[in-house]
Amino acid sequence: MTEKKDSPEIVQPSRRDFIKTTSLAAAGFMIVPRFVLGGKGYRAPSDMLNVAGVGAGGKGESDIANFAKSGKANIAFLCDVDDRRAAKSRAAFPKAKYYKDWREMYDKEHKNFDAVSISTPDHNHAIITYHAMQLGKHVYVQKPMTHDIWEARLLTEAAKKYKVVTQMGNQGSSNDGTRLLSEWYDADLIGDVHTVYCWTNRPVWPQGIKWPEPQQNIPKELDWDLWLGTAPKKDYVDKLVPFNWRGWWDYGTGALGDMGCHLVEAPFRVLGIQYVKDVQASVGSVYVDEFKQGHFPESCPPSSHITMTFPKTNKTKGDVTLHWMDGGIQPERPIELLPSEKFGGEAGNGTLFIGTKGKMYSSTYSDAPTLLPTERTKTAKAPQKWARVPGGANGHYAQWVEGCLAGYGKTELSSSFEKAGPLTEALLMANLAVRGHELKGGQIKLLWDNNQMKVTNFDDVNQYIKREYRPGFELKA
């Protein structure tokens, strides 16, 4: 393994390489690629995009496969801390060189790839993404974009600074549903929306539990230290990898981080909301014995109901109240539904808009958009204002590939960091209320100063806006 560095070193072409290249061009033996003529961040649409995938198993496996299906992406490198998780991707792309440490891959190979797909646990999203952007690489990062609010703001600004094409992996933002909901709203079919409900059946992993007992036998295929990355040093525990990390604050962002980017994206698009004004939360309790409540601050709670207030936008007449519910909690069934009509969304996830003239709702990824009463859905007419993404949610991947090949600023993406950053910040701000509930021992309304990026009335939660990074994995702006 190479020496670990805080950030990869950018290697410039040698004088010999430069002379050789310019001599060939002058002799007429080489056609200069259009991305050279177009400047930094621009590649000709006819070029193949060379992609490095950091996180090659699970969601990373499907992301990488979908980029390849676009027909314009070459999976050039694979990187994963766990050889077991990477096995299928390595078999699918045998020509892709494999690394365990993304820092080593960046150091050695950065001249050989154009873009990076990041699909790791939440706590390592920002550091891997930011260093790729510093190298001038386009980035696709799984949702939520980051683990902390400060990181989301940093990456949003970095996309502009380094002029790279970005996309967050909330593929529902490319679905037709979000665009149809927007068109219905813009056509005034439900009036002015003042209240939104978003809900999920997550967590579908353990939460509200005691930290497990350490295990001595770390699987030989797993580099535990690299998996921990930016998080505090801890002994290995079983079943944290590859999925149950989501329920622990050091690594994940709970049900809200997992599903919020899918379910809250539609209200952001439809209503033009961005930064939270205030937030409060109530959380589910855990009892370990008769009248003995458990106290597990390292773990996210088993359920929560979070209420966020967003300031008036140019698409609303006043503030918007958004309710988030997880752990299977759902809003009251709309009275417009007939007794036999199902409510709740596919797989226990949904979004409900309540306006002054009516209501509309959708399921995961903004699928199955529905006006209430449901019979209105078939007869409603609204002008099409927004172009559809070919392939819908599945087209989210090809959209990023095409955007990278076109170059920075040439195309609009469904979830570029300009859009994904504020959405991620809002969700992470809501998680501050969940953690504040634990610290305060009860519910409190947190007031948010967006410019200063801090809570103004309960300083104890501000420690979670930007955490301390483990030595060797620092993230420096």
Side-chain angles (χ1 to χ4, degrees), residues 179-336:
R179 289 151 182 80
L180 182 57
L181 290 168
S182 294
E183 289 159 357
W184 284 347
Y185 184 66
D186 291 348
D188 200 34
L189 297 187
I190 65 168
D192 177 59
V193 167
H194 50 80
T195 305
V196 178
Y197 286 89
C198 300
W199 63 94
T200 182
N201 63 349
R202 264 60 163 190
V204 292
W205 53 85
Q207 283 191 187
I209 60 175
K210 181 182 177 181
W211 181 252
E213 292 297 322
Q215 301 294 315
Q216 298 300 318
N217 299 319
I218 303 174
K220 64 181 185 301
E221 300 91 348
L222 172 67
D223 189 318
W224 174 243
D225 187 71
L226 280 177
W227 187 92
L228 286 173
T230 63
K233 181 71 174 178
K234 285 187 179 180
D235 292 332
Y236 174 77
V237 296
D238 195 21
K239 295 185 178 180
L240 190 69
V241 179
F243 188 65
N244 290 347
W245 53 266
R246 290 189 177 279
W248 301 98
W249 290 120
D250 277 346
Y251 321 109
T253 48
L256 186 58
D258 181 48
M259 289 302 294
C261 293
H262 292 311
L263 297 167
V264 184
E265 188 275 334
F268 264 64
R269 173 184 290 271
V270 172
L271 306 177
I273 58 177
Q274 283 202 330
Y275 294 104
V276 173
K277 180 178 177 181
D278 58 61
V279 60
Q280 54 188 300
S282 60
V283 302
S285 300
V286 177
Y287 283 82
V288 296
D289 206 340
E290 295 179 9
F291 296 98
K292 184 178 179 182
Q293 188 169 344
H295 179 68
F296 308 119
E298 293 176 303
S299 179
C300 309
S303 60
S304 65
H305 176 193
I306 305 167
T307 305
M308 294 173 263
T309 305
F310 292 88
K312 175 184 178 298
T313 74
N314 60 0
K315 299 187 71 175
T316 68
K317 293 182 179 179
D319 290 352
V320 175
T321 302
L322 190 148
H323 296 268
W324 169 266
M325 299 173 168
D326 58 45
I329 303 171
Q330 294 186 2
E332 181 181 3
R333 179 184 172 86
I335 61 174
E336 293 87 353

Side-chain angles (χ1 to χ4, degrees), residues 96-204:
K97 190 172 182 180
Y98 179 67
Y99 285 87
K100 270 204 167 184
D101 191 335
W102 61 271
R103 298 168 300 180
E104 180 184 1
M105 183 179 72
Y106 283 10
D107 279 345
K108 291 183 176 180
E109 308 288 358
H110 65 267
K111 292 190 292 184
N112 301 319
F113 59 85
D114 312 301
V116 184
S117 169
I118 299 97
S119 183
T120 67
D122 302 350
H123 67 291
N124 285 324
H125 281 183
I127 189 171
I128 301 172
T129 303
Y130 187 67
H131 283 307
M133 296 167 83
Q134 285 184 308
L135 290 168
K137 308 303 178 183
H138 308 301
V139 288
Y140 182 104
V141 61
Q142 260 307 319
K143 50 77 189 168
M145 194 167 104
T146 63
H147 183 274
D148 300 338
I149 296 172
W150 175 81
E151 295 174 335
R153 188 74 60 93
L154 174 69
L155 295 193
T156 302
E157 295 172 350
K160 300 175 183 177
K161 177 180 179 180
Y162 296 110
K163 300 187 183 305
V164 294
V165 177
T166 58
Q167 184 94 298
M168 183 171 72
N170 56 332
Q171 57 269 39
S173 63
S174 287
N175 241 349
D176 291 357
T178 57
R179 289 151 182 80
L180 182 57
L181 290 168
S182 294
E183 289 159 357
W184 284 347
Y185 184 66
D186 291 348
D188 200 34
L189 297 187
I190 65 168
D192 177 59
V193 167
H194 50 80
T195 305
V196 178
Y197 286 89
C198 300
W199 63 94
T200 182
N201 63 349
R202 264 60 163 190
V204 292

Side-chain angles (χ1 to χ4, degrees), residues 391-423:
N394 289 331
H396 195 64
Y397 308 93
Q399 185 194 59
W400 176 69
V401 171
E402 295 284 0
C404 294
L405 292 171
Y408 177 77
K410 299 295 192 300
T411 59
E412 182 177 356
L413 275 72
S414 299
S415 196
S416 64
F417 286 2
E418 181 181 8
K419 302 171 184 176
L423 171 59

